[in-house]
Amino acid sequence: MQLFQSTRPSAEEHAALLAELGPLPIQGPAWPSWVKIMVWVVVAVIGVQLVRVAMGFEGEPVNPFMAGSIVICFCGLLLIARVMAISTTRITEEGIEQTWITKRAIGWHDIQFAKFVPMIASKRLICFTGRSRPVIFQSGTPELHTAFAKIAVVYRRR
């Protein structure tokens, strides 16, 4: 049972969309530069605070499990910040893809409908397949913002 009725655009509408998008592939960073800078500033502040707190415990016993879990969480923050810094989004003739911890990709034929969500930190395109969870792509450049908006208009729920 499909969750959504088939609302895909016709082949002509899809071809017109690809022509309107211009020369493909369109690609760029998944996150705006200011967001990536803010993430690294926050991670640096947290790192400095961790070092300051750790140096304040001279002579006092520290629970090794607590210290280990804090270090693991901080390493996770470093990983997320690194992935955000290098993540890219591509729109191709086959579909949309984004590098992340794992690669996100969706073919044009799998998209039932799409919604453009212009948030403060990133502009997002949420693609619904009708079979599973939606696939969310971030956009960090004006070219990708415009392409996402055009895709959402063509792949709107009918």
Side-chain angles (χ1 to χ4, degrees):
M1 180 177 106
Q2 285 191 338
L3 297 175
F4 305 106
Q5 293 179 346
S6 180
T7 59
R8 293 184 187 129
S10 67
E12 295 81 20
E13 290 173 317
H14 178 71
L17 169 66
L18 293 182
E20 186 179 354
L21 290 177
L24 296 176
I26 300 171
Q27 73 178 37
W31 298 92
S33 297
W34 70 270
V35 171
K36 293 188 273 189
I37 291 168
M38 289 293 293
V39 166
W40 282 110
V41 167
V42 168
V43 169
V45 168
I46 291 171
V48 167
Q49 283 298 108
L50 286 175
V51 169
R52 286 181 58 197
V53 168
M55 297 190 71
F57 282 117
E58 294 177 16
E60 295 182 32
V62 175
N63 183 338
F65 295 110
M66 180 76 76
S69 65
I70 290 171
V71 168
I72 289 171
C73 288
F74 185 70
C75 289
L77 285 174
L78 287 172
L79 174 69
I80 295 296
R82 169 75 175 136
V83 172
M84 282 180 77
I86 64 172
S87 181
T88 59
T89 302
R90 282 180 53 138
I91 301 171
T92 65
E93 292 181 6
E94 290 79 36
I96 307 168
E97 58 191 46
Q98 180 179 331
T99 57
W100 189 237
I101 295 172
T102 59
K103 187 176 180 180
R104 296 178 186 171
I106 191 167
W108 293 115
H109 61 280
D110 289 329
I111 301 174
Q112 291 288 321
F113 73 94
K115 182 170 177 99
F116 179 60
V117 182
M119 299 180 76
I120 294 171
S122 77
K123 311 299 187 235
R124 296 177 180 192
L125 182 68
I126 304 173
C127 298
F128 296 87
T129 63
R131 291 189 307 267
S132 60
R133 297 184 326 179
V135 183
I136 302 170
F137 299 98
Q138 280 84 21
S139 164
T141 64
E143 294 81 18
L144 283 171
H145 301 340
T146 304
F148 279 8
K150 290 176 182 178
I151 292 167
V153 167
V154 173
Y155 282 87
R156 70 190 175 279
R157 182 178 267 180
R158 298 169 191 225

